[in-house]
Amino acid sequence: MGATSHAHPGAAGRAPAADHPSSLRNVVLVGHSGSGKTTLVEALALAAGAVNRAGRVEDGATVSDYDEMEHRRHRSVQLSLVPVEWGGHRINLLDTPGYADFVGELRAGLRAADAALFIVSAAQEADAVAGTTRAVWEECALVGMPRAIVVTHLDTARTSFDDMTRICAEIFGGGDPDAVLPLYLPVQGPEGPDGHAPLTGLTGLLTERVLDYSGGERKERAPADGRREQLREARDRLIEGIIAESEDETLMDRYLDGGDISTRTLIDDLERAVARGTFHPVLTAAPAPEGARQGIGTVELLELITRGFPAPPERVLPTVTTPGGEPRPAPVCDPEGPLLAEVVKTSSDPYVGRISLVRVFSGTLRPYDTVHVRGRGLTGGGLEPRPCHDAEVRIGALSAPFGKQQRTLERCVAGDLACVTGLGGAETGDTLSPVDDPVLMEPWSMPDPLLPLAVRAHSKADEDKLSQGLARLVAEDPTMRLEQNPDTHQVVLWCLGEAHQDVALERLRSRYGVNVDAVPHLVPLRETFAGPASGRGRHVKQSGGHGQFAVCEIEVEPLPSGTGIEFVDKVVGGAVPRQFVSSVEKGVRAQASRGLVAGHPLVDLRVTLLNGKAHSVDSSDAAFQTAGALALREAAAETRIQLLEPVAEVRVLVPDDYVGPVMSDLSGRRGRVVGTEQASGGRTLVRAEVPEIEIGRYAVDLRSLSHGTGRFDRSYARHEAMPHQLADRVREETKDGG
């Protein structure tokens, strides 16, 4: 993090200079879509010698050769790993999607990393920066993950590094803006008529030296006289911020007394504060100018990563239990220790099959080892082990990815990441451990998918492949949930957003050869009686030989919500023989499950059998089942059948500025706001009850309404009567649909 140049550090893909966890750095890049994460990864790979000026290595691979779908969409949709080497360290750069629909890939990157670079575009509005990255910043803060901020796109017209630094301090400072300060100030060329001012270098605040890239090579020089006062003010503030985080309590007194504090001491304290996660430096970066080998700020970033960010042994590892839930001693990042690894991402290759990206936390993983694979759900409530994920598996080859290419590895030590083949049915989040001592890692949280996508096979040929394709899709992406609704008989993929849905459909088609049609999602409605009624079911047929004879009389009365169907026998005198009473009940319940008006199940009724008639020869179980169904249908003709719709309890967490619009929007959805309460970070939790038919697209609408800052969850509350006008429209649609 000083101002000295580095020698060429070596290319990615070669054996690390020191094959030990202390030489590793795992860094996740976080930022809004379009902030420049992938461009920065390419620039870092170029500076580290992993690629040539054209962005390619010897075999033609490029950093951005990830997925054809990403090229078509011009955005990242999945987590990508790019390993580079710098100064004897192996750096695993984890490039994450910036679009909110693919936050599951971001969470996987956070799990695999030990530090984070937050990429912020100077061309973005402050609201966009806050809305898309503050939640992730807070997640990192909860676990003490070290973070730094990189400002990009400073060469865009009408951008300001000072303004962007101030915004970052306000958003990420957590009440302490002096914990978010720049290490370097940008040096920009003359501003053109369009407001464009090219970035030509950086000025190190601690070293007070300019790093000039304008000639194509990084050179040092003294700052211009006219800049010294501005640099002095920024340098003093940085020094005060570093001293405030220093463990040496005498530094502040020495500084206030005018004593000299060496640059080396300040840099050492800065590095320790960054590693602890209490100080968050702001840097800037830009792609390499024409003809240059190093992008502006890339060497400084690589220095920060290797010298300021922690190695895997310095991080607290997730807790571990036995499969039965008994706690185990805290794991240690030791290559000689027992194996402890986790699948952080699952993907498919048309030639290789399923590929698992694995983070090894302890021990050493080698090709063709036999390991124990154990899995459990990643989202709330789904923590029970899945039986199919409790197996011994002999893994295949290990490799390190670079774009689409895979470089063979001889081993993967504690703290490192590798792609593994042959893990069978292992899914994202599964734990790998020794066969003779299986353990289970604490699960990491995933957002609950709340946007439904109902699908059906496009053709008969697709029907045969649909189940397998959907199962593989969900296994790869734990932020998707597959539901086969027993009430509507629809196959529903629950996703995080519309882009997530589009990617799911495209992957089904291109990766698994399954064409599906999206159909309107149906909510499970119910029917009930609006008032008491009675009915008589008469089923009499005689066509020679054995006939059918059954008569029953029933009384129906509505019950409170959630009661279901009650059947009461009040027959006296044997009018309906005992053996046929249950037959009447079967007929009533069968008709109730089919519905009476719109084909929705009938609920919340008491059906009382009062009387009936039987024939000694022609009465039968089937005859009385039919009579029971007819009696219920006749009773329905005497009263109004009411449609019931499901109501969800919705909890919306939004910044205080959006509480009014959110409450107004919920009211417009026929919702009832039942309460609000203050939450941390200037946010409010709004609780409401809303008909589910009104919130099918709420995941998309809330994101738009709150500029990406709002989150919500929902749970079923009960069924309630649907308004008459809406119920009539549903009945008409049912008739039109046949």
Side-chain angles (χ1 to χ4, degrees):
M1 285 187 283
T4 58
S5 299
H6 273 256
H8 192 284
R14 300 175 187 171
D19 188 8
H20 189 272
S22 61
S23 71
L24 299 169
R25 299 293 185 272
N26 299 309
V27 181
V28 61
L29 282 78
V30 179
H32 187 269
S33 182
S35 60
K37 296 185 299 299
T38 301
T39 301
L40 180 59
V41 169
E42 293 173 343
L44 292 172
L46 173 64
V51 296
N52 59 26
R53 188 64 185 83
R56 297 187 177 275
V57 289
E58 290 82 356
D59 55 9
T62 70
V63 171
S64 56
D65 276 342
Y66 300 141
D67 192 293
E68 292 180 5
M69 187 187 308
E70 293 183 319
H71 286 294
R72 289 196 299 272
R73 293 175 176 274
H74 304 290
R75 71 159 65 110
S76 298
V77 299
Q78 62 183 356
L79 173 70
S80 300
L81 169 63
V82 178
V84 301
E85 289 179 32
W86 180 262
H89 294 84
R90 175 187 171 95
I91 304 172
N92 290 316
L93 298 170
L94 294 149
D95 185 12
T96 64
Y99 199 62
D101 282 14
F102 307 106
V103 68
E105 301 285 324
L106 169 59
R107 295 281 179 87
L110 291 173
R111 179 69 161 199
D114 303 306
L117 287 177
F118 279 72
I119 316 304
V120 177
S121 171
Q124 288 178 314
E125 296 291 335
D127 286 347
V129 176
T132 56
T133 57
R134 189 194 305 192
V136 182
W137 183 276
E138 291 174 354
E139 287 185 34
C140 293
L142 287 175
V143 297
M145 178 177 283
R147 287 145 283 156
I149 301 160
V150 183
V151 178
T152 59
H153 299 157
L154 272 175
D155 55 354
T156 305
R158 290 175 293 279
T159 56
S160 167
F161 180 75
D162 291 341
D163 289 347
M164 210 63 230
T165 302
R166 176 183 51 78
I167 290 170
C168 289
E170 292 172 356
I171 296 172
F172 303 133
D176 182 11
D178 288 337
V180 180
L181 293 171
L183 297 185
Y184 303 87
L185 295 184
V187 178
Q188 293 178 274
E191 185 175 298
D194 59 353
H196 173 89
L199 191 64
T200 61
L202 303 170
T203 302
L205 292 178
L206 293 181
T207 60
E208 297 184 281
R209 299 291 290 174
V210 174
L211 308 173
D212 191 351
Y213 288 82
S214 60
E217 291 185 13
R218 181 174 179 263
K219 296 182 179 180
E220 288 188 30
R221 61 174 174 82
D225 291 339
R227 294 263 296 169
R228 290 186 181 276
E229 185 60 34
Q230 179 190 4
L231 294 177
R232 176 63 58 184
E233 182 180 341
R235 185 176 191 271
D236 289 346
R237 189 176 178 195
L238 174 61
I239 291 174
E240 291 172 6
I242 294 172
I243 291 175
E245 298 295 336
S246 174
E247 296 176 342
D248 184 351
E249 297 180 358
T250 67
L251 280 186
M252 183 60 76
D253 292 336
R254 287 165 52 192
Y255 177 72
L256 293 177
D257 290 341
D260 182 49
I261 301 174
S262 70
T263 301
R264 182 70 263 166
T265 298
L266 291 171
I267 291 176
D268 288 344
D269 276 343
L270 168 65
E271 291 170 355
R272 283 190 285 267
V274 171
R276 288 197 308 270
T278 57
F279 186 83
H280 315 294
V282 182
L283 299 91
T284 187
E290 188 65 32
R293 185 176 63 82
Q294 295 171 338
I296 298 173
T298 52
V299 170
E300 290 71 29
L301 265 176
L302 290 167
E303 288 180 345
L304 170 70
I305 290 170
T306 55
R307 295 168 56 181
F309 282 168
E314 301 172 53
R315 301 292 296 148
V316 177
L317 300 186
T319 59
V320 174
T321 65
T322 66
E326 295 295 323
R328 296 294 298 270
V332 178
C333 183
D334 179 5
E336 303 301 322
L339 177 66
L340 179 65
E342 185 176 42
V343 178
V344 295
K345 176 179 170 56
T346 308
S347 59
S348 294
D349 184 275
Y351 305 105
V352 180
R354 184 173 293 190
I355 300 175
S356 302
L357 178 61
V358 171
R359 161 80 190 250
V360 178
F361 290 94
S362 173
T364 299
L365 190 64
R366 293 178 173 83
Y368 312 112
D369 280 352
T370 299
V371 300
H372 184 273
V373 179
R374 181 86 174 186
R376 59 182 172 185
L378 299 179
T379 52
L383 303 184
E384 291 302 316
R386 296 172 292 212
C388 62
H389 286 177
D390 187 8
E392 296 179 9
V393 177
R394 187 171 186 263
I395 68 173
L398 303 184
S399 59
F402 195 91
K404 288 184 176 180
Q405 305 298 320
Q406 299 286 336
R407 282 90 176 270
T408 301
L409 296 177
E410 295 181 359
R411 62 182 176 271
C412 182
V413 301
D416 208 350
L417 292 105
C419 290
V420 182
T421 61
L423 273 177
E427 298 182 1
T428 302
D430 287 358
T431 302
L432 310 185
S433 58
V435 171
D436 57 354
D437 187 21
V439 295
L440 199 58
M441 295 184 68
E442 177 187 17
W444 35 296
S445 64
M446 282 290 188
D448 196 12
L450 295 168
L451 185 66
L453 173 66
V455 297
R456 66 184 175 202
H458 182 72
S459 66
K460 177 63 178 174
D462 295 311
E463 282 184 16
D464 300 332
K465 299 181 289 184
L466 180 59
S467 295
Q468 184 179 8
L470 289 172
R472 293 175 68 182
L473 188 69
V474 173
E476 290 184 14
D477 187 349
T479 61
M480 283 184 190
R481 178 164 51 88
L482 181 62
E483 173 193 10
Q484 304 222 14
N485 193 293
D487 294 319
T488 63
H489 308 291
Q490 285 188 319
V491 176
V492 182
L493 263 180
W494 289 86
C495 303
L496 294 176
E498 291 177 310
H500 200 202
Q501 290 180 341
D502 293 343
V503 167
L505 294 176
E506 191 165 347
R507 281 181 175 160
L508 279 174
R509 178 186 56 78
S510 61
R511 190 174 290 179
Y512 306 123
V514 184
N515 288 301
V516 298
D517 297 322
V519 297
H521 175 246
L522 304 176
V523 299
L525 302 180
R526 300 283 188 268
E527 298 176 359
T528 194
F529 278 48
S534 58
R536 184 172 188 267
R538 184 176 185 275
H539 182 60
V540 178
K541 287 190 177 180
Q542 189 69 45
S543 56
H546 188 69
Q548 299 182 50
F549 185 93
V551 178
C552 64
E553 297 176 5
I554 63 171
E555 186 177 75
V556 183
E557 56 185 316
L559 293 178
S561 176
T563 307
I565 299 287
E566 290 184 7
F567 185 84
V568 180
D569 173 22
K570 286 191 177 181
V571 175
V572 295
V576 177
R578 304 308 310 160
Q579 68 268 29
F580 295 136
V581 171
S582 61
S583 302
V584 175
E585 182 178 359
K586 286 180 186 177
V588 167
R589 291 188 181 277
Q591 182 63 57
S593 67
R594 293 191 295 268
L596 295 168
V597 176
H600 304 294
L602 200 63
V603 295
D604 303 335
L605 295 175
R606 178 182 291 120
V607 179
T608 304
L609 178 60
L610 300 174
N611 205 348
K613 293 181 181 180
H615 189 277
S616 58
V617 176
D618 293 341
S619 291
S620 64
D621 173 66
F624 270 99
Q625 285 192 45
T626 302
L630 290 171
L632 188 62
R633 283 153 60 181
E634 183 177 288
E638 286 192 0
T639 188
R640 181 170 57 85
I641 299 300
Q642 200 166 50
L643 281 185
L644 305 176
E645 61 180 340
V647 174
E649 182 180 344
V650 177
R651 293 164 294 277
V652 187
L653 184 65
V654 290
D656 294 342
D657 292 344
Y658 297 106
V659 171
V662 165
M663 292 176 66
S664 176
D665 178 73
L666 290 171
S667 297
R669 297 172 186 269
R670 298 190 286 124
R672 296 185 297 273
V673 176
V674 297
T676 61
E677 56 189 77
Q678 284 299 121
S680 61
R683 292 172 296 179
T684 299
L685 180 68
V686 180
R687 292 181 290 108
E689 294 179 344
V690 191
E692 288 190 10
I693 201 170
E694 301 286 351
I695 55 173
R697 287 180 47 83
Y698 194 59
V700 176
D701 297 337
L702 177 62
R703 186 180 299 169
S704 174
L705 184 66
S706 65
H707 292 196
T709 61
R711 291 178 288 172
F712 84 105
D713 60 66
R714 55 187 282 187
S715 58
Y716 170 77
R718 61 189 172 276
H719 272 72
E720 284 187 356
M722 182 180 284
H724 298 325
Q725 186 176 3
L726 183 56
D728 290 342
R729 189 163 73 238
V730 171
R731 293 188 182 98
E732 288 300 319
E733 291 172 354
T734 302
K735 290 178 183 178
D736 295 341

